[in-house]
Amino acid sequence: MYLARTVTELRRWRAEQAGRSVGFVPTMGYLHAGHLALVRRARAENEAVVVSIFVNPLQFGPAEDYERYPRDLDRDLRLLDAERVDAVFAPPVEEMYPPGFATSVVVSGPVAERLEGEARPGHFRGVATVVTRLLNLVQPHRAYFGWKDAQQVLVVQRLVADLALPVEIVPVPTVREPDGLALSSRNVYLSPEERRVAAALPQALFAALERFRAGERDAGELRRLVRETLAGAPVRLEYVSVSDRETFTEVDRVERPALLLVAAWVGSTRLIDNVLLDPAAP
Ligand code: PAF
Protein backbone atom coordinates (compact mmCIF):
# COMPACT_ATOMS: atom_id res chain seq x y z
CA MET A 1 0.00 0.00 0.00
CA TYR A 2 1.37 3.33 -1.06
CA LEU A 3 1.32 6.20 1.48
CA ALA A 4 1.20 9.67 -0.06
CA ARG A 5 1.89 12.54 2.31
CA THR A 6 2.06 15.29 -0.30
CA VAL A 7 0.02 16.42 -3.28
CA THR A 8 2.99 15.64 -5.52
CA GLU A 9 3.17 12.05 -4.24
CA LEU A 10 -0.57 11.60 -4.67
CA ARG A 11 -0.49 12.96 -8.22
CA ARG A 12 2.42 10.63 -9.05
CA TRP A 13 0.44 7.60 -7.80
CA ARG A 14 -2.67 8.79 -9.65
CA ALA A 15 -0.77 9.14 -12.95
CA GLU A 16 0.33 5.51 -12.62
CA GLN A 17 -3.35 4.42 -12.48
CA ALA A 18 -4.11 5.67 -16.01
CA GLY A 19 -6.60 3.33 -17.66
CA ARG A 20 -7.80 1.82 -14.35
CA SER A 21 -11.04 2.71 -12.59
CA VAL A 22 -10.34 4.51 -9.31
CA GLY A 23 -12.59 4.42 -6.24
CA PHE A 24 -12.06 7.01 -3.51
CA VAL A 25 -13.06 6.94 0.17
CA PRO A 26 -12.55 10.29 1.94
CA THR A 27 -12.27 9.93 5.74
CA MET A 28 -11.06 11.78 8.81
CA GLY A 29 -9.43 8.58 10.06
CA TYR A 30 -9.91 6.68 13.33
CA LEU A 31 -11.53 4.09 11.13
CA HIS A 32 -14.37 1.81 12.16
CA ALA A 33 -16.51 -0.82 10.45
CA GLY A 34 -18.59 1.92 8.79
CA HIS A 35 -15.50 3.21 6.96
CA LEU A 36 -14.47 -0.34 6.08
CA ALA A 37 -17.90 -0.90 4.48
CA LEU A 38 -17.13 2.08 2.20
CA VAL A 39 -13.70 0.65 1.41
CA ARG A 40 -15.10 -2.81 0.60
CA ARG A 41 -17.72 -1.33 -1.70
CA ALA A 42 -15.00 0.72 -3.42
CA ARG A 43 -12.80 -2.40 -3.64
CA ALA A 44 -15.63 -4.36 -5.26
CA GLU A 45 -16.41 -1.70 -7.86
CA ASN A 46 -12.99 -0.35 -8.89
CA GLU A 47 -9.59 -1.53 -10.04
CA ALA A 48 -7.74 0.82 -7.70
CA VAL A 49 -8.83 2.16 -4.30
CA VAL A 50 -7.48 5.23 -2.54
CA VAL A 51 -8.49 6.42 0.94
CA SER A 52 -7.77 9.87 2.35
CA ILE A 53 -7.20 10.45 6.05
CA PHE A 54 -7.41 14.11 6.95
CA VAL A 55 -9.03 15.77 9.96
CA ASN A 56 -10.25 18.85 8.18
CA PRO A 57 -9.98 21.94 10.41
CA LEU A 58 -12.29 23.95 8.11
CA GLN A 59 -15.34 21.89 8.99
CA PHE A 60 -15.05 22.29 12.77
CA GLY A 61 -16.52 25.30 14.60
CA PRO A 62 -14.32 27.19 17.10
CA ALA A 63 -16.02 25.47 20.08
CA GLU A 64 -15.98 22.03 18.46
CA ASP A 65 -13.74 19.00 18.88
CA TYR A 66 -11.03 19.53 16.22
CA GLU A 67 -8.16 19.25 18.72
CA ARG A 68 -9.48 16.22 20.53
CA TYR A 69 -10.89 14.43 17.47
CA PRO A 70 -9.50 10.86 17.76
CA ARG A 71 -6.47 10.07 15.58
CA ASP A 72 -4.45 6.85 15.13
CA LEU A 73 -2.73 6.75 11.76
CA ASP A 74 -0.75 3.54 12.36
CA ARG A 75 -3.87 1.60 13.25
CA ASP A 76 -5.75 3.08 10.27
CA LEU A 77 -2.95 2.06 7.90
CA ARG A 78 -2.97 -1.51 9.21
CA LEU A 79 -6.75 -1.75 8.73
CA LEU A 80 -6.58 -0.36 5.19
CA ASP A 81 -3.68 -2.60 4.22
CA ALA A 82 -5.76 -5.61 5.34
CA GLU A 83 -8.56 -4.39 3.01
CA ARG A 84 -6.10 -4.37 0.06
CA VAL A 85 -6.34 -0.61 -0.39
CA ASP A 86 -3.85 0.58 -3.03
CA ALA A 87 -3.03 4.02 -1.68
CA VAL A 88 -3.64 6.27 1.31
CA PHE A 89 -3.43 10.04 1.11
CA ALA A 90 -2.68 11.42 4.60
CA PRO A 91 -1.52 15.00 4.15
CA PRO A 92 -0.57 17.46 6.88
CA VAL A 93 -2.75 20.57 7.13
CA GLU A 94 -0.17 22.78 5.30
CA GLU A 95 -0.32 20.44 2.32
CA MET A 96 -4.10 20.65 2.03
CA TYR A 97 -4.23 24.36 2.81
CA PRO A 98 -0.90 25.89 1.79
CA PRO A 99 -0.09 29.51 2.66
CA GLY A 100 -2.30 31.80 0.60
CA PHE A 101 -5.16 29.29 0.32
CA ALA A 102 -8.21 31.54 -0.03
CA THR A 103 -11.00 29.68 -1.81
CA SER A 104 -14.21 28.31 -0.32
CA VAL A 105 -16.92 26.20 -1.89
CA VAL A 106 -20.34 27.20 -0.61
CA VAL A 107 -23.45 25.18 -1.35
CA SER A 108 -26.58 27.19 -0.62
CA GLY A 109 -30.25 26.33 -0.19
CA PRO A 110 -32.03 24.08 2.31
CA VAL A 111 -29.67 21.14 1.79
CA ALA A 112 -26.74 23.07 3.25
CA GLU A 113 -28.53 25.65 5.40
CA ARG A 114 -31.05 23.67 7.45
CA LEU A 115 -30.45 21.23 10.35
CA GLU A 116 -26.68 20.50 10.43
CA GLY A 117 -26.07 23.68 8.42
CA GLU A 118 -27.92 25.73 11.01
CA ALA A 119 -26.56 23.89 14.07
CA ARG A 120 -22.95 24.00 12.81
CA PRO A 121 -22.36 27.30 10.96
CA GLY A 122 -19.53 26.93 8.43
CA HIS A 123 -19.51 23.14 8.67
CA PHE A 124 -20.74 22.42 5.15
CA ARG A 125 -18.55 25.17 3.70
CA GLY A 126 -15.59 23.28 5.21
CA VAL A 127 -16.86 19.93 3.95
CA ALA A 128 -17.62 21.24 0.45
CA THR A 129 -14.22 22.94 0.21
CA VAL A 130 -12.18 19.92 1.30
CA VAL A 131 -14.24 17.44 -0.73
CA THR A 132 -13.91 19.56 -3.89
CA ARG A 133 -10.15 19.83 -3.39
CA LEU A 134 -9.82 16.10 -2.67
CA LEU A 135 -11.91 15.15 -5.71
CA ASN A 136 -9.78 17.41 -7.90
CA LEU A 137 -6.58 15.90 -6.52
CA VAL A 138 -7.64 12.25 -6.62
CA GLN A 139 -9.76 12.42 -9.81
CA PRO A 140 -11.69 9.26 -8.91
CA HIS A 141 -14.37 7.65 -11.03
CA ARG A 142 -16.44 6.98 -7.92
CA ALA A 143 -16.39 8.41 -4.37
CA TYR A 144 -18.02 6.66 -1.41
CA PHE A 145 -19.87 8.36 1.48
CA GLY A 146 -21.83 6.90 4.41
CA TRP A 147 -25.59 7.51 4.77
CA LYS A 148 -25.11 8.16 8.48
CA ASP A 149 -24.24 11.71 7.39
CA ALA A 150 -27.19 11.89 5.00
CA GLN A 151 -27.17 15.67 4.72
CA GLN A 152 -23.46 15.61 3.86
CA VAL A 153 -24.20 13.11 1.07
CA LEU A 154 -26.85 15.46 -0.36
CA VAL A 155 -24.52 18.48 -0.09
CA VAL A 156 -21.75 16.59 -1.91
CA GLN A 157 -24.17 15.37 -4.60
CA ARG A 158 -25.34 18.97 -5.07
CA LEU A 159 -21.83 20.37 -5.48
CA VAL A 160 -20.76 17.56 -7.82
CA ALA A 161 -23.81 18.22 -10.01
CA ASP A 162 -23.47 22.01 -9.90
CA LEU A 163 -19.71 22.09 -10.58
CA ALA A 164 -20.03 19.31 -13.19
CA LEU A 165 -17.33 17.24 -11.46
CA PRO A 166 -16.76 13.99 -13.38
CA VAL A 167 -17.34 11.61 -10.48
CA GLU A 168 -20.14 9.34 -9.32
CA ILE A 169 -21.08 9.80 -5.67
CA VAL A 170 -21.98 6.42 -4.14
CA PRO A 171 -23.90 6.52 -0.83
CA VAL A 172 -23.39 3.43 1.35
CA PRO A 173 -25.86 2.27 4.07
CA THR A 174 -25.14 3.08 7.71
CA VAL A 175 -23.38 0.35 9.70
CA ARG A 176 -24.84 -0.14 13.18
CA GLU A 177 -23.88 -1.76 16.46
CA PRO A 178 -26.07 -4.72 17.55
CA ASP A 179 -28.22 -2.32 19.64
CA GLY A 180 -28.73 -0.04 16.61
CA LEU A 181 -26.26 2.76 17.39
CA ALA A 182 -24.78 4.09 14.14
CA LEU A 183 -21.01 3.70 14.02
CA SER A 184 -19.16 7.00 14.37
CA SER A 185 -15.63 7.93 15.34
CA ARG A 186 -17.20 10.20 17.96
CA ASN A 187 -18.77 7.22 19.79
CA VAL A 188 -15.41 6.87 21.61
CA TYR A 189 -16.29 10.02 23.57
CA LEU A 190 -19.21 8.22 25.26
CA SER A 191 -18.79 6.83 28.77
CA PRO A 192 -20.16 3.27 29.24
CA GLU A 193 -23.37 4.72 30.71
CA GLU A 194 -23.73 7.28 27.89
CA ARG A 195 -23.04 4.55 25.34
CA ARG A 196 -25.98 2.59 26.76
CA VAL A 197 -28.22 5.69 26.65
CA ALA A 198 -27.17 6.51 23.05
CA ALA A 199 -29.05 3.47 21.73
CA ALA A 200 -32.27 5.41 22.46
CA LEU A 201 -31.64 7.46 19.30
CA PRO A 202 -31.85 4.63 16.75
CA GLN A 203 -34.60 3.03 18.82
CA ALA A 204 -36.71 6.19 18.47
CA LEU A 205 -36.02 6.30 14.72
CA PHE A 206 -36.89 2.62 14.28
CA ALA A 207 -40.12 3.02 16.28
CA ALA A 208 -41.16 5.81 13.89
CA LEU A 209 -40.04 3.77 10.87
CA GLU A 210 -42.21 0.89 12.04
CA ARG A 211 -45.19 3.23 12.34
CA PHE A 212 -44.41 4.56 8.85
CA ARG A 213 -44.29 1.03 7.46
CA ALA A 214 -47.67 0.38 9.08
CA GLY A 215 -49.07 3.22 6.96
CA GLU A 216 -48.50 6.44 8.96
CA ARG A 217 -47.82 9.29 6.50
CA ASP A 218 -48.30 12.28 8.82
CA ALA A 219 -44.81 13.72 9.37
CA GLY A 220 -45.94 15.56 12.52
CA GLU A 221 -47.02 12.26 14.03
CA LEU A 222 -43.67 10.64 13.18
CA ARG A 223 -41.75 13.57 14.71
CA ARG A 224 -43.98 13.40 17.77
CA LEU A 225 -43.31 9.69 18.15
CA VAL A 226 -39.53 10.24 18.07
CA ARG A 227 -39.82 12.97 20.73
CA GLU A 228 -42.10 10.77 22.86
CA THR A 229 -39.74 7.76 22.62
CA LEU A 230 -36.78 9.92 23.63
CA ALA A 231 -38.66 11.79 26.38
CA GLY A 232 -37.66 9.30 29.08
CA ALA A 233 -33.98 9.10 28.05
CA PRO A 234 -31.32 11.47 29.44
CA VAL A 235 -30.56 12.98 26.03
CA ARG A 236 -30.95 16.57 24.85
CA LEU A 237 -32.73 16.50 21.50
CA GLU A 238 -31.52 19.25 19.16
CA TYR A 239 -33.80 18.55 16.23
CA VAL A 240 -36.08 15.95 14.76
CA SER A 241 -36.99 16.48 11.14
CA VAL A 242 -38.81 14.82 8.27
CA SER A 243 -37.10 16.28 5.20
CA ASP A 244 -37.87 15.61 1.55
CA ARG A 245 -35.12 13.47 0.01
CA GLU A 246 -34.82 15.73 -3.06
CA THR A 247 -35.56 19.28 -1.88
CA PHE A 248 -34.52 18.85 1.75
CA THR A 249 -37.48 20.94 2.91
CA GLU A 250 -39.58 19.93 5.92
CA VAL A 251 -42.67 17.99 4.88
CA ASP A 252 -46.16 17.62 6.41
CA ARG A 253 -46.91 14.30 4.76
CA VAL A 254 -44.56 11.64 3.41
CA GLU A 255 -45.86 10.93 -0.09
CA ARG A 256 -42.39 10.53 -1.66
CA PRO A 257 -38.98 9.52 -0.23
CA ALA A 258 -38.03 11.52 2.86
CA LEU A 259 -35.44 11.33 5.61
CA LEU A 260 -36.30 11.19 9.29
CA LEU A 261 -33.29 12.85 10.94
CA VAL A 262 -32.29 13.50 14.54
CA ALA A 263 -29.46 15.26 16.32
CA ALA A 264 -29.10 14.91 20.08
CA TRP A 265 -26.60 15.39 22.85
CA VAL A 266 -25.69 12.50 25.10
CA GLY A 267 -23.61 14.14 27.82
CA SER A 268 -21.12 16.32 25.94
CA THR A 269 -21.26 14.23 22.74
CA ARG A 270 -23.41 15.29 19.81
CA LEU A 271 -24.81 12.41 17.77
CA ILE A 272 -26.76 12.41 14.51
CA ASP A 273 -28.70 9.63 12.84
CA ASN A 274 -31.41 9.10 10.25
CA VAL A 275 -33.60 6.57 8.48
CA LEU A 276 -35.12 6.68 5.01
CA LEU A 277 -38.91 6.84 4.75
CA ASP A 278 -39.77 5.49 1.30
CA PRO A 279 -43.49 5.11 0.55
CA ALA A 280 -42.61 2.85 -2.40
CA ALA A 281 -40.59 0.39 -0.26
CA PRO A 282 -42.35 -2.95 0.39
O1 PAF B 1 -17.45 12.38 6.66
C1 PAF B 1 -16.28 12.71 6.89
O2 PAF B 1 -15.50 11.98 7.49
C2 PAF B 1 -15.80 14.09 6.44
O3 PAF B 1 -16.81 15.03 6.54
C3 PAF B 1 -15.16 14.08 5.04
C4 PAF B 1 -16.18 13.70 3.99
C5 PAF B 1 -14.00 13.11 5.01
C6 PAF B 1 -14.65 15.48 4.71
O4 PAF B 1 -13.69 15.90 5.61
Side-chain angles (χ1 to χ4, degrees):
M1 190 173 71
Y2 178 68
L3 175 60
R5 290 298 216 158
T6 64
V7 165
T8 308
E9 287 166 357
L10 176 69
R11 286 199 191 280
R12 194 179 306 138
W13 175 83
R14 183 63 185 87
E16 288 164 10
Q17 311 311 309
R20 303 176 83 198
S21 59
V22 174
F24 173 45
V25 182
T27 81
M28 297 205 300
Y30 211 72
L31 305 177
H32 51 64
H35 296 112
L36 299 184
L38 305 180
V39 170
R40 283 176 198 155
R41 180 82 180 267
R43 184 69 282 169
E45 296 180 351
N46 302 275
E47 288 161 297
V49 174
V50 52
V51 176
S52 65
I53 297 176
F54 179 65
V55 185
N56 174 32
L58 291 191
Q59 69 188 75
F60 290 79
E64 292 185 358
D65 55 345
Y66 173 67
E67 294 299 340
R68 75 172 185 131
Y69 194 86
R71 294 161 168 89
D72 189 344
L73 183 61
D74 290 343
R75 179 177 160 278
D76 289 346
L77 294 177
R78 280 197 301 278
L79 289 170
L80 295 175
D81 199 28
E83 297 295 332
R84 296 175 300 110
V85 163
D86 297 277
V88 173
F89 178 46
V93 173
E94 320 78 73
E95 194 66 22
M96 279 303 279
Y97 303 124
F101 186 93
T103 300
S104 288
V105 178
V106 180
V107 177
S108 44
V111 71
E113 289 164 8
R114 295 184 59 236
L115 307 183
E116 288 306 287
E118 196 176 335
R120 304 182 65 191
H123 172 65
F124 284 131
R125 172 193 293 244
V127 170
T129 301
V130 80
V131 168
T132 304
R133 183 157 160 81
L134 286 167
L135 291 175
N136 279 329
L137 290 170
V138 175
Q139 311 227 329
H141 296 87
R142 300 181 189 85
Y144 296 80
F145 292 81
W147 257 126
K148 207 260 309 167
D149 298 303
Q151 203 177 341
Q152 170 172 275
V153 172
L154 301 183
V155 166
V156 170
Q157 286 177 330
R158 183 76 267 152
L159 84 84
V160 162
D162 291 354
L163 300 180
L165 300 182
V167 60
E168 180 193 347
I169 299 303
V170 184
V172 177
T174 302
V175 178
R176 297 180 180 279
E177 301 275 12
D179 65 359
L181 183 67
L183 294 194
S184 161
S185 303
R186 289 192 167 98
N187 291 352
V188 296
Y189 299 152
L190 299 168
S191 70
E193 175 55 16
E194 289 167 346
R195 168 64 192 81
R196 200 185 55 72
V197 165
L201 247 72
Q203 281 156 14
L205 290 175
F206 292 145
L209 180 60
E210 207 171 301
R211 188 74 67 82
F212 174 77
R213 286 183 175 150
E216 182 62 77
R217 294 293 180 263
D218 183 333
E221 189 52 29
L222 296 169
R223 288 189 292 265
R224 194 196 58 72
L225 184 60
V226 171
R227 287 185 193 282
E228 185 185 281
T229 314
L230 286 175
V235 307
R236 186 162 60 81
L237 190 58
E238 202 171 272
Y239 62 70
V240 48
S241 162
V242 181
S243 295
D244 185 89
R245 165 80 181 72
E246 293 304 317
T247 62
F248 212 71
T249 51
E250 197 68 31
V251 299
D252 294 332
R253 290 190 61 77
V254 186
E255 306 293 4
R256 44 187 232 157
L259 291 157
L260 173 60
L261 309 111
V262 290
W265 291 86
V266 180
S268 58
T269 305
R270 186 173 183 276
L271 300 175
I272 59 171
D273 200 353
N274 70 87
V275 290
L276 178 66
L277 306 174
D278 184 356

